[in-house]
Amino acid sequence: MRDLLLQTIPSLNGDECDKFVAYYELLIDWNTRMNLTAITAPEDVVKKHFADSLAALPFLPEGARVADVGTGAGFPGIPLLIVRPDLKLTLVDSLQKRVGFLQTVLQTLDLKAECVHARAEDFGRDPVYRAGFDRTVSRAVASLPVLLELTVPLLKVGGKSICYKGDATEELALSKNARKRLHTDVETVPVPSDYGMRSLIICTKNAPTPSQYPRKAGLPSKNPL
Ligand code: SAM
């Protein structure tokens, strides 16, 4: 595992490698009792979960407050935190069982992050969190129009919603209305990969989000903007 990690992410130091190894072991162990991931082979986990999660690193300022919305087993938030413990990270997921796993990972790896069991629609209306983040990160959670409604309300003006995608050409076209209503600009950043096309769709929030967004739980995906 250590060799694989260093071949794929040569910048890792010894402590970071130890943390990724421990994370892998917990992922595989807990995956026997709950559905966390279909990707389990060491090489695949290192490439498609760990290295893939790190793609947003250049877009996260020092000390940024970051929400990982729909984090599941902790991707991309936990790999980002392993190499950037300066981040003030909040991990959000609607499945309580996954939140239990995340708390165990954080404790074992001696990392600090807040874990919240919530639907993103409710989280984004909570005044404690709304408009409080510099960045959101999300991977494999929803199509772009839905994801923007779930994440942009969480951002400060000037903040960025970083969406991990494959080929997002179609989703980008479908998200025009959402981007207009939520007052965002968009930029696409290709991510080098030898396992299919990967990209980051980065949306910058230019003005406060109208108070009707996000709509109540379930509506963004049922009737996307
Ligand atoms: N981001 C992780 C990854 O890349 O491996 C998990 C992806 S998994 C396919 C989608 C996750 O998003 C699930 O854990 C699910 O519970 C969560 N999710 C979906 N819709 C959500 C919502 N509206 N609010 C919060 N979490 C949500």
Side-chain angles (χ1 to χ4, degrees):
M1 190 64 182
R2 290 185 78 86
D3 290 346
L4 274 173
L5 278 163
L6 287 170
Q7 273 163 27
T8 314
I9 320 169
S11 57
L12 293 181
N13 65 32
D15 179 56
E16 292 162 349
C17 264
D18 290 346
K19 288 190 160 84
F20 276 112
V21 171
Y23 187 15
Y24 176 73
E25 285 169 356
L26 284 169
L27 186 68
I28 298 305
D29 178 32
W30 281 62
N31 206 37
T32 59
R33 299 188 291 281
M34 68 170 69
N35 181 16
L36 288 172
T37 179
I39 295 172
T40 53
E43 190 176 345
D44 289 340
V45 172
V46 169
K47 277 191 183 176
K48 298 180 184 171
H49 280 327
F50 296 166
D52 189 73
S53 291
L54 298 181
L57 276 177
F59 307 100
L60 304 176
E62 174 82 22
R65 189 166 178 223
V66 180
D68 180 357
V69 177
T71 186
F75 304 116
I78 289 183
L80 290 169
L81 189 64
I82 290 174
V83 300
R84 288 285 306 280
D86 59 289
L87 299 174
K88 297 176 193 78
L89 178 68
T90 302
L91 300 162
V92 188
D93 204 277
S94 55
L95 272 187
Q96 177 70 52
K97 280 196 294 189
R98 293 200 173 137
V99 173
F101 169 72
L102 297 170
Q103 280 163 338
T104 303
V105 172
L106 290 168
Q107 202 175 14
T108 310
L109 272 54
D110 194 23
L111 291 172
K112 285 190 179 40
E114 181 183 23
C115 298
V116 179
H117 167 226
R119 295 277 306 223
E121 295 91 328
D122 303 323
F123 185 72
R125 301 196 76 89
D126 184 334
V128 172
Y129 298 108
R130 188 178 177 90
F133 292 90
D134 302 295
R135 298 287 183 271
T136 62
V137 290
S138 327
R139 198 185 75 148
V141 176
S143 68
L144 199 54
V146 178
L147 200 49
L148 292 182
E149 184 171 352
L150 300 182
T151 57
V152 173
L154 293 166
L155 295 168
K156 301 171 185 172
V157 172
K160 293 176 194 291
S161 170
I162 304 176
C163 308
Y164 289 61
K165 293 286 179 186
D167 178 356
T169 318
E170 202 173 316
E171 287 186 49
L172 271 170
L174 288 173
S175 70
K176 263 193 187 152
N177 184 46
R179 285 186 270 134
K180 189 171 156 210
R181 284 171 183 254
L182 298 163
H183 309 300
T184 62
D185 286 338
V186 73
E187 162 193 12
T188 304
V189 178
V191 176
S193 146
D194 60 5
Y195 51 90
M197 186 171 168
R198 301 291 295 148
S199 59
L200 296 177
I201 307 298
I202 304 183
C203 293
T204 304
K205 175 166 169 171
N206 295 320
T209 305
S211 59
Q212 70 260 39
Y213 305 120
R215 289 167 292 164
K216 75 175 185 181
L219 262 186
S221 53
K222 196 172 163 199
N223 184 17
L225 289 176

